[in-house]
Amino acid sequence: MSMKSVSPQTGQVLQEYATLTPEQLESRLSASQAAFESYRLSSPEDRTRWMMAAADALESRREELAVLATQEMGKTVESARQEVDKCAWVCRYYAEHAAEFLAPQPVQTAAQSAEVRYLPLGPVLAVMPWNFPYWQVFRFAAPTLMAGNTGLLKHASNVPGCALAIEEIFTEAGFPAGVFQTLLIGSRDVEGVLRDPRVRAVSLTGSEGAGRAVAGTAGQEIKPAVMELGGSDPFIVMPSADLDLAVQTAVNARTLNNGQSCIAAKRFLVHTDIYSAFEAKFVEKLAALRLGDPLEEGTDVGPLATASIRDELHEQVQDAVSKGARLLLGGELPSGGAGYHYPVTALADLTPEMQVWSEETFGPVALLFRVRDIDHALEIANGTRFGLSSSAWTQDSAEQERFIRDLDAGATFINAMSVSDPRLAFGGVKASGFGRELGREGILAFVNAKAVSIG
Ligand code: NDP
């Protein structure tokens, strides 16, 4: 069996990789367990040194890693460089803060002394997506390894080159053999790995379908899981907002990573008083973006990662247009040319019968909604099964508080776009998942919070 790396720019196969045989998979699982037995006893100082070295290794291979990600999944090379930098940041962040997050918490009880200690669990499986092929993995691995667990990566099948490069980074950094391993396996092998008693927990970032399958298995096996799934995040603009800043941020938020980000703003809910001005400026700026080869400096939007992502997106757009949506921009598949490009697209006058009303659009397609007031904005914003992040633009402090209280999402950014940050807990509610990555919450996701009581 093999896994292919296919260029989204040309549609050509870049490289083929052999997947693991059952024997190779078994040997990696037992190496993970064996490594855990000694790694869990390693000193915090050693772990800090290795994680700092991982950050250095990322930076010293920055250009090579960036080009590899661009070739495999089509993000612009500049955004790939920024992704590598962010990975180095998350490594250093947890290297510096893990000891503080994991410090025993004394508790007053009737005993002589009592405390909660945070001990590692064992090998943790990560099932990861291709859209941020490094960041998704490092934001899992940095806290998980600093807590003393070992990591097993099942990366998306279209980014095997990135998956192997990540294992190399941890090896180069000096982590003991077996502490972080990549498993080149298909999604059908995930269930068996997760049911293996040596694997103690799972973290998945990806689609709702993958989340349901993996969370289901984790539930049956009674293993902790963190699920970071899709989103259809609202971006709400009220009359008091700084309109030009909101428009520019909306453009960035929708087209970042070629529109393939779980926390991208996907639905733009604009107050009726400023709707026409917003729509005109937004569409003008979207139309000015430069589409093209993601390896060329200056390209704003590259191709989508796979043919099937593009086909699904185009089907959603056609469905909306056939049901009466107003097409403001894009919406036509490029005629001729290789690769999986899709034009930046904007749709308005949407209704609940359209797929885009309730589904995630994973590509550069913006959905515009005219809202009457704050209640109407909240009703539409909360009216999907997703609840990952949200962004609301208003200078009015009462409105800000209302959005923070009533937006049913894992995060609310006021007058800013949603971003992930090593320092801030990240995750969703409803079908966007459960559990948190990053911040203190992220490192506590995969520990045994052991109660200790001494007579
Ligand atoms: P998937 O959810 O299919 O892939 C994510 C990861 O899960 C991959 O490693 C994949 O492996 C694995 N996987 C998929 N199905 C299963 C399963 N049943 N059991 C175990 N593991 C599984 O994402 P796609 O690449 O197919 O993208 C489709 C949609 O997912 C997008 O349109 C978007 O809605 C959403 N998505 C969300 C992301 C996010 O950041 N929240 C990121 C990427 C996608 P393999 O590649 O081998 O199939």
Side-chain angles (χ1 to χ4, degrees), residues 295-361:
L295 274 175
E296 259 172 39
E297 307 290 342
T299 294
D300 296 310
V301 182
L304 300 184
T306 65
S308 66
I309 296 274
R310 183 177 72 164
D311 294 346
E312 278 168 39
L313 187 68
H314 189 49
E315 196 201 308
Q316 289 173 315
V317 170
Q318 283 183 309
D319 169 76
V321 172
S322 74
K323 290 173 181 162
R326 192 157 48 94
L327 184 64
L328 304 171
L329 183 71
E332 303 264 325
L333 280 177
S335 57
Y340 314 133
H341 287 268
Y342 197 76
V344 176
T345 296
L347 293 166
D349 297 347
L350 305 162
T351 56
E353 308 74 57
M354 299 170 187
Q355 292 172 20
V356 294
W357 185 275
S358 49
E359 288 177 5
E360 178 174 28
T361 49

Side-chain angles (χ1 to χ4, degrees), residues 127-131 136 154 156-157 187 207 210 214 229 262 360 362:
V127 182
M128 290 293 148
W130 45 265
N131 61 341
Q136 304 280 21
K154 181 273 178 276
S157 298
S187 53
S207 63
V214 172
L229 310 176
C262 48
E360 178 174 28
F362 219 60

Side-chain angles (χ1 to χ4, degrees), residues 177-197:
V179 168
F180 184 93
Q181 298 176 88
T182 288
L183 309 175
L184 285 190
I185 55 173
S187 53
R188 74 172 77 86
D189 295 323
V190 168
E191 182 178 342
V193 173
L194 184 49
R195 289 197 192 279
D196 189 293

